[in-house]
Amino acid sequence: MTKILLSTLLILVFTAPSLRAEQPSQLTVKIENISSDKGQLLIGIYNQAQGAFETGNEYTGDIVQAHKGSMTFNYKLPQGQYAVAVIHDSNGNRQLDKNFLGIPTEDYGFSNGISRPDYDKARFLLSGDTTLIIRL
């Protein structure tokens, strides 16, 4: 009886990967070309297209004091699809400022180097430790 129970347990452990806990992955976000120490960096990590890149819809993120040059941030996340947006909010009003034509007047960047907010183009698969470089 003990052999049958042990055999059944071993079969379950080795043949049912969905029963094993999935390890989180580390996402390292390196932000380059920060133009000054003024203001803050708004970092948003999004895991769905609906509401992506809108304030308050982040899966996770940070608001930190900006430092000229480059800065690096680490996040432990479940494996899946994500997109990252960064704004250098130089005046501290927690939004991307634009001129009267709608052209941004503050630096920003997205994952995959895209120039406009498009979740499908910015998304990437996080399936292990990953480093992203976002140039503002």
Side-chain angles (χ1 to χ4, degrees):
M1 180 70 161
T2 305
K3 286 183 181 181
I4 293 172
L5 183 58
L6 183 58
S7 296
T8 304
L9 182 61
L10 288 173
I11 288 170
L12 283 174
V13 167
F14 290 109
T15 61
S18 62
L19 296 177
R20 291 185 219 142
E22 199 169 286
Q23 295 295 320
S25 296
Q26 179 166 300
L27 174 62
T28 301
V29 178
K30 183 174 183 183
I31 303 166
E32 297 182 338
N33 297 334
I34 302 168
S35 60
S36 73
D37 293 333
K38 291 182 181 178
Q40 338 172 312
L41 293 181
L42 310 179
I43 305 163
I45 300 175
Y46 303 85
N47 65 347
Q48 59 185 356
Q50 185 175 357
F53 310 123
E54 293 177 12
T55 303
N57 289 335
E58 305 86 359
Y59 175 76
T60 190
D62 282 305
I63 299 174
V64 297
Q65 177 64 44
H67 295 287
K68 185 175 181 173
S70 66
M71 296 176 73
T72 302
F73 302 89
N74 295 303
Y75 301 91
K76 286 281 190 192
L77 301 170
Q79 295 182 9
Q81 291 192 13
Y82 297 93
V84 179
V86 178
I87 297 170
H88 182 184
D89 178 22
S90 57
N91 63 3
N93 67 353
R94 295 194 177 189
Q95 65 184 15
L96 178 64
D97 293 330
K98 300 173 185 176
N99 66 16
F100 70 96
L101 296 173
I103 299 170
T105 58
E106 294 178 308
D107 296 333
Y108 64 94
F110 299 98
S111 45
N112 294 334
I114 66 169
S115 59
R116 294 200 163 105
D118 183 325
Y119 182 82
D120 289 331
K121 291 180 181 177
R123 73 180 172 177
F124 60 93
L125 178 62
L126 181 66
S127 60
D129 293 352
T130 301
T131 299
L132 289 180
I133 297 175
I134 297 182
R135 290 178 180 88
L136 301 182

